[in-house]
Structures are given as C-alpha cells and as structure tokens.
Amino acid sequence: MSVADLKYIDIHCHLNYPQYASDLDETVTRAVEAGIGMIVIGTDLATSKRAIEIAEKHEYVWAIIGLHPIHAHEERFDYDAYMTLAKHPKVVGIGECGYDYFRTDASVGASWGASQYEAQHEAFTRQIDLAHAVGKPLMLHLRSAPGIVGAVGVATNPVTHVDAYADALAVLRAYPGGLKVRGDAHFFAGTLAQAKAFIELDFTISFTGVITFARSYDEIIREIPLDRILSETDAPFVAPMPYRGERNEPAYVIEVAHKLAELKGALALNERDAVLKQLVDNARKLFSI
C-alpha cells in the first residue's frame, strides 16, 4: 500500500497519550490494515516529541507539533525548540494552537507574569509565526466559554476572552503582512457563519465522532463545500457510535467519514466512495502527504 491507496485519514489523534501506552503498535496496525493514515498531534513540547517518535516508527503516521492553549500558562512557547521539531520531514503542521475558554480561569497566572488569557494569545501568535517560517499549516484548537455562540469576529477587538472562534478569526485576519498559511479548525463547534469565515481564509473544517450522535452539526456539514471538510477522531476522546463511551482510536474514523458522506447526501455506494476519496484528497492537499 502507498499513501495514494489510503481510504481514510484521521487528521487529529493523540496516540502520544498514556491511553495507548500498552497497545500502541496494535492500535496503529488496526488502522493501517483498514487503509487509514493518521496524524498524531502534540499538545506541549514532550508530547510533540513523542508524536514525532511515533511517526518515525510507523508508516502512514505523521505528526503535528505545538502547544495547546490549556497548557500555555504552564509551558511558555519555546520558539527555537519547536522550530527544531517543525523541520522534521514527518511533521506536517503546527499546533494544536488557539484559544480555549471552556476550562480557563482568569485568575490563574503564568509563571512569567502573564495571565492565562495572555499566555494563550502569545502561544497562538508565535505558532502562527512558526507556521509561516516553515511553510506548514496550522491545527487550530478553539473552544469558547460555556454557552457562548459568538460572532464572526473583528480585528479591532482581537481577544474577547469568551468566543474562541471570533478571537482566532480576528487574529488570523489581522496577521501582520497578511496570512500566508492554511490550516484546519479542528473539532469544529462554531457557527455556520464562522465556518464560512475560516473557509474564506482557505482553511478546512474537521469533524469528530460527535456528528454520529449529535444533530447540531448537520446543517454546517451540508452547507460547506466538500473540498473543505476533513475527518478526525480526536482519539482517545469522543468515540463515535457504535463505540460511544469506549476509548476512541483512529480505526473509528471510518464511522466519522461515512457519516459525513451520509450528510452530504451520498447514499449510493459509488457516491459514498467519491466522498471518502475527496476527504482523503483534502487531507493530503492540506498537509502535503
């Protein structure tokens, strides 16, 4: 099998997490035997290094390196250290980075004096810089404060501290010299207007197994162009039906991809296969694999 023969690509999983410590090789093998490629995502320097180690060991596995916003007040983004990792040939993107207001506490400060919000903003903007420097796309993590369904965002107010999607859009639009990299809005949970705004920036939108049991994503998936949609698991989290409640793994991206095809109206087998091929093509184009 070659990369061109892959039937699915899980563009966001965390095989570098302890949930796979006892059966990592078996987990990768199950996915590859089903024709699935996978991208392992770092969330800090240690897990980014581990993502590369896994990608080096396994064919059809790639890595994305970066600092997750919920860790940005614990680990200040070390540009030089991440630059070294970013140059690795199996690293296909930078992140996951962005804003997470769901679990943040404004009273929590970073060891270097920044607030938790300021630490997230600094880490995000530096990772945009890194993506530009190495010419690799961004993997965005965006989670708004509970109950927030926000606006599209404006550059004159770049950080709202409540709407992660509006904030990220504002920062990307206002990037000095203009944004010259693409990216993906992972585990998308924003509005249709926000999805369209990311697409206008030449970003893709990816969906997890949540779409197999929640109907709030259906309209967005139906409305946005197929060539801007990606499939992911975010494993070990949010396993799709019929595995809900179990540990998630890349092999289950099949359920996500098939649900995307269904929501796109691909009912006949040949139609479904065309959608599945498009999803793989989208991932290969964005991440140059």
Side-chain angles (χ1 to χ4, degrees), residues 2-226:
S2 68
V3 174
D5 296 321
L6 291 173
K7 298 177 182 178
Y8 310 89
I9 297 181
D10 177 3
I11 64 102
H12 192 116
C13 63
H14 297 284
L15 297 179
N16 45 355
Y17 278 17
Q19 287 91 333
Y20 304 100
S22 64
D23 66 343
L24 174 62
D25 290 347
E26 293 87 347
T27 301
V28 173
T29 297
R30 276 193 294 275
V32 172
E33 288 180 346
I36 300 167
M38 61 215 87
I39 303 176
V40 182
I41 313 298
T43 52
D44 58 15
L45 195 58
T47 55
S48 293
K49 291 177 180 177
R50 179 60 179 150
I52 293 174
E53 290 173 358
I54 295 169
E56 286 177 329
K57 182 178 179 181
H58 297 280
E59 198 172 7
Y60 312 115
V61 179
W62 297 269
I64 287 178
I65 57 95
L67 181 59
H68 193 294
I70 66 169
H71 298 307
H73 69 288
E74 303 165 353
E75 173 192 301
R76 192 167 197 176
F77 186 74
D78 186 334
Y79 186 90
D80 292 338
Y82 281 101
M83 170 62 84
T84 299
L85 299 183
K87 293 178 180 178
H88 192 284
K90 293 210 79 175
V91 170
V92 297
I94 307 301
E96 56 188 293
C97 57
Y99 298 106
D100 189 318
Y101 302 140
F102 195 83
R103 290 168 289 187
T104 55
D105 182 346
S107 67
V108 174
S111 60
W112 56 94
S115 71
Q116 198 166 0
Y117 294 131
E118 290 167 339
Q120 290 192 19
H121 184 67
E122 176 185 298
F124 183 33
T125 55
R126 292 297 281 154
Q127 285 174 94
I128 301 173
D129 294 342
L130 179 59
H132 276 86
V134 296
K136 296 181 179 182
L138 290 160
M139 175 66 71
L140 300 186
H141 171 98
L142 304 170
R143 195 172 186 188
S144 299
I148 295 297
V149 179
V152 172
V154 290
T156 55
N157 183 23
V159 182
T160 67
H161 295 173
V162 291
D163 188 334
Y165 291 89
D167 289 353
L169 285 164
V171 169
L172 293 168
R173 286 168 169 164
Y175 186 77
L179 192 69
K180 296 179 177 63
V181 294
R182 299 183 67 204
D184 177 69
H186 133 78
F187 203 145
F188 190 79
T191 65
L192 176 58
Q194 289 169 334
K196 290 179 176 179
F198 278 109
I199 290 169
E200 288 175 2
L201 292 174
D202 206 16
F203 276 51
T204 57
I205 310 295
S206 62
F207 297 93
T208 69
V210 172
I211 68 170
T212 66
F213 55 81
R215 301 280 62 84
S216 54
Y217 301 87
D218 292 3
E219 179 189 5
I220 294 172
I221 293 167
R222 291 187 180 113
E223 291 293 327
I224 63 178
L226 176 59

